Amino acid sequence: DAKTTQPNSMESNEEEPVHLPCNHSTISGTDYIHWYRQLPSQGPEYVIHGLTSNVNNRMASLAIAEDRKSSTLILHRATLRDAAVYYCIPNSGNTPLVFGKGTRLSVIA
Amino acid sequence: DSGVTQTPKHLITATGQRVTLRCSPRSGDLSVYWYQQSLDQGLQFLIHYYNGEERAKGNILERFSAQQFPDLHSELNLSSLELGDSALYFCASSVGLPPYEQYFGPGTRLTVT
């Protein structure tokens, strides 16, 4: 599995964009980049995933560097409900998802 | 609501006992995954079933076993419980094999006293 590096914590003001970075310099060519988040007292929640090109869905955008060694999850307008631990997980599908420590995002009203 | 249901929500039991946790996947999902989350270990993958067959095993203890039934629901059996087994146990489901996104249930909180 590719090793990932994420900030332990980040803070954002409500209604402002948030950029959550992830370094995965040992990623293999077949690894998708998955992002999950875990809100307090809940199970993890799928956010987005991509392989090479940038991806958008109703929750977020995923920007993947050209060399694929890093990616950024973008929340366009943070709300209080977005306060959670965000996990970046490179995975090809041949092995189980490995959840690291993630980034704890705090959103300030 | 992810569509994945887990029962019971809370379970308190004594050391040495055996418990069964139940998971119903989202309608149509063939894959079921079990995870354990404790304060010191984070979220750990235990086991994956696809359409009734075991597909992958993580750091699952020999005291733990799981199965997926023909109706696709799954059960995780934990026996000879120890204090250290106290944790949140999550079940997730996905429509097929990885890398399809996984949808997690609300979890079962197990407390071993």
Side-chain angles (χ1 to χ4, degrees), chain B residues 9 17-18 20 22 28-29 56 64-65 81 88 90 101 112:
Chain B
K9 196 165 181 170
Q17 295 298 305
R18 174 190 166 93
T20 297
R22 183 187 168 103
D29 283 0
F64 295 1
S65 64
L81 285 167
L88 268 168
F90 290 106
E101 56 265 33
V112 182

Side-chain angles (χ1 to χ4, degrees), chain A:
Chain A
D1 295 326
K3 285 198 105 173
T4 59
T5 304
Q6 295 181 256
N8 289 334
S9 62
M10 290 184 64
E11 209 171 74
S12 171
N13 293 319
E14 202 177 9
E15 299 194 6
E16 291 195 356
V18 183
H19 290 231
L20 296 159
C22 180
N23 283 318
H24 31 75
S25 58
T26 59
I27 195 169
S28 80
T30 55
D31 281 346
Y32 285 79
I33 300 154
H34 301 259
W35 283 81
Y36 284 77
R37 70 181 186 181
Q38 188 170 17
L39 280 65
S41 303
Q42 293 189 28
E45 176 183 32
Y46 166 79
V47 179
I48 200 167
H49 76 281
L51 185 61
T52 54
S53 1
N54 296 344
V55 185
N56 301 297
N57 66 19
R58 63 174 180 79
M59 286 182 70
S61 295
L62 176 60
I64 301 172
E66 206 169 318
D67 64 5
R68 299 204 338 117
K69 293 186 177 181
S70 65
S71 61
T72 302
L73 180 71
I74 302 164
L75 307 179
H76 295 286
R77 281 182 69 227
T79 69
L80 295 177
R81 198 202 171 272
D82 292 321
V85 178
Y86 286 79
Y87 300 96
C88 160
I89 309 172
N91 184 271
S92 65
N94 294 324
T95 56
L97 294 179
V98 175
F99 288 78
K101 296 197 185 301
T103 296
R104 183 174 298 278
L105 175 67
S106 302
V107 180
I108 303 166

Side-chain angles (χ1 to χ4, degrees), chain B residues 26-102:
Chain B
R26 293 186 321 157
S27 177
D29 283 0
L30 298 178
S31 274
V32 170
Y33 310 79
W34 285 98
Y35 293 84
Q36 179 193 58
Q37 186 170 40
S38 56
L39 279 172
D40 54 346
Q41 292 288 333
L43 198 64
Q44 302 281 316
F45 166 74
L46 295 177
I47 198 161
H48 168 211
Y49 278 86
Y50 174 75
N51 204 19
E53 291 190 13
E54 183 185 302
R55 294 289 302 200
K57 244 180 178 174
N59 294 326
I60 186 168
L61 299 171
E62 281 192 19
R63 301 183 285 108
F64 295 1
S65 64
Q67 53 183 327
Q68 186 181 27
F69 294 87
D71 67 353
L72 301 177
H73 91 272
S74 177
E75 292 181 357
L76 179 67
N77 299 297
L78 315 177
S79 61
S80 303
L81 285 167
E82 301 175 0
L83 294 177
D85 298 327
S86 296
L88 268 168
Y89 291 84
F90 290 106
C91 162
S93 74
S94 67
V95 63
L97 294 171
Y100 283 108
E101 56 265 33
Q102 296 181 23

